[in-house]
Amino acid sequence: MALKSELKPECFHVVEGRGVTFAKGFKSGSVWAGLKSKTEDLVLIVSDKPASAAGVFTTNLLQASSVTYSRKIITTGRAQAIFCNAGNANACNGEQGDKDNLQCAQLSAKALGLETDQVLVASTGVIGRLMPMEKIEAGVPLAASALVASAEIDERTSKAILTTDTRPKMIAVEVNTPGWAAPIRIGGITKGSGMIAPNMATTLGFITTDAQIEPQLLQMALWKAIEKSYNRITVDGDTSTNDMVLVLANGASGNSVTSDSGYDEFYAGLEHVLQYLAKEIARDGEGATKLVSVTVKGAESEQGAQKIAKTIAESPLVKTALFGSDPNWGRIMAAAGRAGVPFNPTESSVWLGEYQVFAHGTGTKFDNDGAHAYLKSSEVDLVVTVGRGTSECTYWTCDYSYDYIKINAEYHT
Amino acid sequence: MALKSELKPECFHVVEGRGVTFAKGFKSGSVWAGLKSKTEDLVLIVSDKPASAAGVFTTNLLQASSVTYSRKIITTGRAQAIFCNAGNANACNGEQGDKDNLQCAQLSAKALGLETDQVLVASTGVIGRLMPMEKIEAGVPLAASALVASAEIDERTSKAILTTDTRPKMIAVEVNTPGWAAPIRIGGITKGSGMIAPNMATTLGFITTDAQIEPQLLQMALWKAIEKSYNRITVDGDTSTNDMVLVLANGASGNSVTSDSGYDEFYAGLEHVLQYLAKEIARDGEGATKLVSVTVKGAESEQGAQKIAKTIAESPLVKTALFGSDPNWGRIMAAAGRAGVPFNPTESSVWLGEYQVFAHGTGTKFDNDGAHAYLKSSEVDLVVTVGRGTSECTYWTCDYSYDYIKINAEYHT
């Protein structure tokens, strides 16, 4: 939890049970359009007025129609609504996919009384199947006619965007500074669960805030916070065609955030929201039985720390050992050693929680039963020091269980 | 099998049932020293006379005492014997580990009447536990007194170096050129099974040949052949502290191999031996149910083809889909798309054996039952084209099954 303390935690507090309609001037509508078999699967998140918009998107060369489309909207810095469907990724569908994606935006704009280019589109689900547009046509007006702001719709919306996630993931915070009459609110929801059956799925994140902030500054804040949250989690190293995180900031709080005023507090709140959501994705990784934080300290550079932490966090051998609650420093150090970052093993240490299991190039005489019991916890902290440098990095991951194989092997295309 | 045809297969043939003592002037001794619970675990492979020696070693920063020691011997280009033990990796044991490793060489040299620096050392097994030197002291003279060349000792030796491998891996070939009176023989054994419990284990490979060849040329041939064999297999992306492949060439055939004469034929035989052994390791990956070849074609550069092939071959989602015999082109293309190599998905194709499942950026209408049945084979070929370039690369890997998790999670340190 080292990061938290850097973040002036006193400037914000979490508000339980709220999500994307907690910030002033946001409403959401959630309906069952028939893309998933039983549960709600189509969502509109709408601001009362045009908002600053920022986004980050998958770096995969294969990009769903929603990614190429929404990326273009984000370059304008403005948007007012998000259309999201779960159950069909509309990826690898060629020109028809692009047309259908545009139609999702057009249908939403019409139902909401907006211009098409004010509507961002996000999709998740099966790839390579055409979007069932008649279902979308029927669903969008229903969602648009049911827009509301409430704890209940926050929860429904957080569930409607899921695919194989085992639980919804949402958070809301209030951020205060002495200069503001009232707090700024930030709310968010996410889905993930790694790449998921059927075929694969997607990390989506939607953040709403009533801060008044220019698009460029919002985008900078998002990039920075993504680096310390979504870009620090790994379930299986695979990325999807559909990943995106979107932020809308509509200014309804009346509080202005600029690089000179209120930015640090706003950023702290945003980073907390993104970090919480990202960790919830790792915790809910396919088949996961525990959330694991991998911190590398003492590195010569942050990039080096990151490479080592990522290699450990993605090592199948480390992840299976964690499933078995095995204090296996050999696998951890072997993963560190192949990360491509020079360090001296004789200056390295490995801690599993309180248990130092490796020091000065060799295993310590540690309490094996105690370490084994610790690793059975639902949250496990793994710390590796690789020298006397001052750089560090934390990754969050989960263990590999039988269920990871089951979930990913038993689906048939 | 594209590689084979480039390799003038007519210049060599496989000799069934033989291994490291097939080449003239090599003997082996194999005994049970008590490092493994029941089976032979200590091996000496010895040439009648000093041999040219070449080797490749793990690139992991953490290196076992045997790696630092044998790497130094290989720089001299000469050696006459290999000591190998299975059951204890003698890694991360500090100075005592280095002393014990040296003593393994000294004991072997004494028993064989050689200088210490003529003995290469290889170890595999548990890391972080001191080598039980009294068992080594007792075992080495027994092995030295039982040296023999035969099909029987070839098989025993191939088994004695194993840890959790499910089967031995050996091969021998005879190489002919018009200029040689008699063929050159090359034999080899290997072990692998990825990184393995307990803790992790090791890829070891020992090759013997009666070719007359200078150490520098031998080392060059080894580097090149390793690039197309051991460096093209992946079980889980993890590498070990103890990996090494060693070659001894004693000249007993009387046939000289130089860069001008016989090299192509010798190289073809060596590459076949290493490629066969490497593929056997992938086939015997922990919990594997099938051998999978991943070929990327049409790349702009060989390096690009390699990066894409490796990313596909290491993707947990691809490997679990293969376990489930799922013709899941989405996961394959998504892995290709995140490899960091630019290509145009609309110019890409995916074949599973005869079944083209992806073309021009979208899924094809393929025979789903047929593709599913094909993927149930024990050997599966997966081919991805990524454009119109002329470069290609093949990786070999295996699927991820429940047993991968079982093997790796259920061992406790």
Side-chain angles (χ1 to χ4, degrees):
Chain A
M1 307 297 98
L3 281 166
K4 259 190 207 165
S5 60
E6 292 164 15
L7 290 177
K8 306 186 187 173
E10 70 281 6
C11 75
F12 65 83
H13 65 273
V14 172
V15 178
E16 298 295 334
R18 295 307 307 271
V20 285
T21 72
F22 180 57
K24 286 182 191 167
F26 284 98
K27 294 194 181 72
S28 179
S30 176
V31 299
W32 178 61
L35 301 167
K36 295 197 291 195
S37 60
K38 284 182 205 168
T39 55
E40 292 189 332
D41 48 21
L42 190 157
V43 160
L44 292 173
I45 300 168
V46 186
S47 169
D48 289 347
K49 52 182 182 173
S52 293
V56 293
F57 300 89
T58 184
T59 57
N60 200 303
L61 276 184
L62 264 73
Q63 308 203 334
S65 299
S66 59
V67 169
T68 49
Y69 169 84
S70 294
R71 192 195 297 274
K72 200 176 288 179
I73 304 284
I74 287 296
T75 60
T76 70
R78 307 295 288 175
Q80 195 166 341
I82 299 169
F83 163 98
C84 175
N85 73 277
N88 189 313
N90 192 21
C92 298
N93 285 333
E95 282 180 24
Q96 188 61 45
D98 292 341
K99 280 183 200 167
D100 291 344
N101 181 81
L102 182 62
Q103 206 193 338
C104 291
Q106 288 168 333
L107 290 165
S108 303
K110 189 178 169 201
L112 297 167
L114 302 176
E115 298 297 316
T116 300
D117 64 5
Q118 291 175 292
V119 182
L120 295 156
V121 176
S123 301
T124 177
V126 190
I127 75 170
R129 287 193 203 152
L130 289 177
M131 195 78 118
M133 289 311 295
E134 71 292 352
K135 293 179 179 176
I136 304 291
E137 274 177 63
V140 165
L142 289 175
S145 66
L147 293 174
V148 63
S150 69
E152 192 230 331
I153 193 67
D154 283 353
E155 195 185 332
R156 278 175 53 196
T157 303
S158 73
K159 288 179 179 168
I161 65 170
L162 305 180
T163 48
T164 64
D165 303 58
T166 67
R167 49 180 176 264
K169 302 160 185 75
M170 79 176 181
I171 185 175
V173 299
E174 277 188 335
V175 186
N176 277 292
T177 80
W180 294 340
I184 278 176
R185 293 174 167 187
I186 309 174
I189 56 176
T190 201
K191 71 168 290 281
S193 209
M195 298 255 299
I196 353 180
N199 268 351
M200 65 182 175
T202 293
T203 298
L204 297 181
F206 305 129
I207 315 296
T208 54
T209 175
D210 48 25
Q212 173 86 43
I213 181 170
E214 284 301 304
Q216 292 85 346
L217 192 59
L218 183 65
Q219 183 70 49
M220 278 179 52
L222 177 61
W223 275 328
K224 188 174 167 197
I226 285 283
E227 260 319 299
K228 301 202 167 183
S229 56
Y230 283 81
N231 284 357
R232 292 286 174 278
I233 57 170
T234 173
V235 172
D236 51 24
D238 276 291
T239 62
S240 133
T241 52
N242 289 52
D243 298 338
M244 66 173 81
V245 177
L246 303 171
V247 188
L248 294 180
N250 68 2
S253 68
N255 293 318
S256 185
V257 173
T258 67
S259 51
D260 298 330
S261 164
Y263 177 79
D264 290 347
E265 291 81 0
F266 172 75
Y267 176 79
L270 181 67
E271 180 176 299
H272 183 79
V273 164
L274 290 174
Q275 212 167 72
Y276 172 86
L277 293 172
K279 285 166 69 174
E280 286 298 294
I281 291 175
R283 191 196 304 275
D284 196 23
E286 289 169 336
T289 72
K290 62 195 77 172
L291 174 67
V292 182
S293 75
V294 177
T295 301
V296 170
K297 295 182 175 178
E300 295 296 322
S301 71
E302 197 176 325
Q303 198 191 9
Q306 186 198 333
K307 279 177 84 168
I308 297 170
K310 183 169 190 279
T311 306
I312 296 169
E314 287 184 353
S315 161
L317 286 172
V318 170
K319 289 158 74 73
T320 46
L322 287 165
F323 174 55
S325 300
D326 177 12
N328 195 319
W329 54 262
R331 291 185 184 176
I332 295 165
M333 285 305 297
R338 69 177 167 85
V341 180
F343 69 89
N344 186 346
T346 64
E347 289 189 351
S348 300
S349 309
V350 177
W351 275 268
L352 306 171
E354 303 283 300
Y355 299 89
Q356 184 173 21
V357 295
F358 182 84
H360 309 304
T362 188
T364 65
K365 289 187 169 58
F366 62 94
D367 170 4
N368 196 75
D369 292 345
H372 182 57
Y374 170 72
L375 291 177
K376 289 187 169 174
S377 320
S378 62
E379 292 202 19
V380 166
D381 291 327
L382 193 160
V383 177
V384 179
T385 59
V386 295
R388 299 167 195 179
T390 55
S391 297
E392 63 176 84
C393 177
T394 297
Y395 256 78
W396 293 279
T397 189
C398 56
D399 54 338
Y400 268 168
S401 70
Y402 294 111
D403 281 349
Y404 179 82
I405 304 289
K406 186 179 169 73
I407 293 167
N408 283 299
E410 294 199 348
Y411 171 77
H412 288 174
T413 319
Chain B
M1 306 296 96
L3 280 165
K4 258 191 207 164
S5 58
E6 294 164 14
L7 288 178
K8 306 187 188 175
E10 70 281 6
C11 74
F12 64 84
H13 64 272
V14 172
V15 178
E16 299 294 334
R18 294 307 307 270
V20 285
T21 71
F22 178 59
K24 285 182 192 167
F26 284 97
K27 294 194 181 74
S28 179
S30 176
V31 299
W32 179 60
L35 301 167
K36 294 196 291 194
S37 60
K38 286 183 202 167
T39 53
E40 291 189 333
D41 49 21
L42 192 156
V43 160
L44 292 174
I45 300 167
V46 187
S47 169
D48 290 347
K49 52 181 180 172
S52 294
V56 292
F57 300 90
T58 183
T59 56
N60 201 301
L61 276 182
L62 263 72
Q63 306 202 334
S65 299
S66 58
V67 169
T68 49
Y69 169 85
S70 294
R71 193 196 296 276
K72 200 176 289 177
I73 304 284
I74 287 296
T75 60
T76 70
R78 306 294 290 174
Q80 195 166 343
I82 298 168
F83 164 97
C84 176
N85 74 277
N88 188 314
N90 192 21
C92 297
N93 285 333
E95 284 181 22
Q96 188 61 45
D98 293 342
K99 280 183 199 165
D100 291 345
N101 181 81
L102 182 62
Q103 208 194 336
C104 291
Q106 288 167 333
L107 290 165
S108 303
K110 190 179 166 199
L112 297 168
L114 302 175
E115 298 298 315
T116 301
D117 63 6
Q118 292 175 293
V119 181
L120 295 155
V121 176
S123 299
T124 177
V126 190
I127 74 168
R129 288 194 203 151
L130 289 177
M131 194 79 118
M133 290 310 297
E134 71 291 353
K135 293 178 178 174
I136 304 293
E137 275 177 62
V140 165
L142 289 175
S145 66
L147 292 175
V148 63
S150 69
E152 192 229 332
I153 193 67
D154 283 352
E155 194 184 336
R156 277 175 54 196
T157 303
S158 73
K159 287 179 179 169
I161 66 170
L162 305 181
T163 50
T164 63
D165 303 58
T166 67
R167 50 180 174 264
K169 302 158 186 75
M170 78 177 184
I171 185 175
V173 300
E174 278 188 335
V175 185
N176 277 292
T177 82
W180 295 339
I184 278 176
R185 293 173 167 189
I186 308 175
I189 55 175
T190 200
K191 70 167 290 280
S193 209
M195 298 254 298
I196 353 180
N199 269 353
M200 63 182 180
T202 292
T203 299
L204 297 180
F206 306 129
I207 315 296
T208 53
T209 176
D210 49 24
Q212 173 85 40
I213 181 170
E214 284 302 304
Q216 291 84 346
L217 192 60
L218 183 64
Q219 183 70 48
M220 277 178 51
L222 177 60
W223 274 328
K224 187 176 168 197
I226 285 282
E227 260 319 300
K228 300 203 169 185
S229 56
Y230 283 82
N231 284 357
R232 291 287 175 274
I233 56 169
T234 173
V235 173
D236 51 22
D238 275 291
T239 61
S240 136
T241 52
N242 288 53
D243 298 338
M244 66 173 80
V245 176
L246 303 171
V247 187
L248 294 180
N250 67 3
S253 68
N255 293 320
S256 186
V257 173
T258 67
S259 51
D260 298 328
S261 164
Y263 176 80
D264 290 346
E265 291 81 0
F266 172 74
Y267 176 78
L270 180 67
E271 181 177 297
H272 183 79
V273 164
L274 289 173
Q275 212 166 72
Y276 173 85
L277 293 173
K279 285 166 69 174
E280 285 299 293
I281 291 175
R283 191 195 303 276
D284 196 23
E286 290 168 335
T289 72
K290 62 195 77 171
L291 174 68
V292 182
S293 76
V294 177
T295 301
V296 171
K297 294 183 174 177
E300 295 297 322
S301 71
E302 197 175 329
Q303 197 190 11
Q306 187 197 333
K307 280 178 85 170
I308 297 170
K310 182 169 191 277
T311 306
I312 297 169
E314 287 184 353
S315 161
L317 286 171
V318 170
K319 289 158 73 74
T320 47
L322 287 164
F323 174 56
S325 300
D326 176 12
N328 196 321
W329 55 263
R331 292 185 183 176
I332 295 164
M333 284 304 297
R338 70 177 167 85
V341 180
F343 68 90
N344 186 348
T346 64
E347 289 189 351
S348 300
S349 309
V350 177
W351 275 268
L352 305 172
E354 303 283 300
Y355 299 90
Q356 183 172 22
V357 295
F358 183 86
H360 310 304
T362 188
T364 64
K365 289 188 171 56
F366 61 94
D367 171 5
N368 195 73
D369 292 346
H372 181 58
Y374 170 71
L375 291 176
K376 288 188 170 173
S377 321
S378 61
E379 292 202 19
V380 167
D381 291 327
L382 194 159
V383 177
V384 179
T385 59
V386 296
R388 299 167 194 180
T390 55
S391 297
E392 64 176 83
C393 177
T394 296
Y395 256 78
W396 294 279
T397 188
C398 57
D399 54 340
Y400 267 168
S401 69
Y402 294 110
D403 281 349
Y404 179 82
I405 304 288
K406 187 178 168 74
I407 292 166
N408 283 299
E410 293 198 349
Y411 170 76
H412 288 174
T413 319

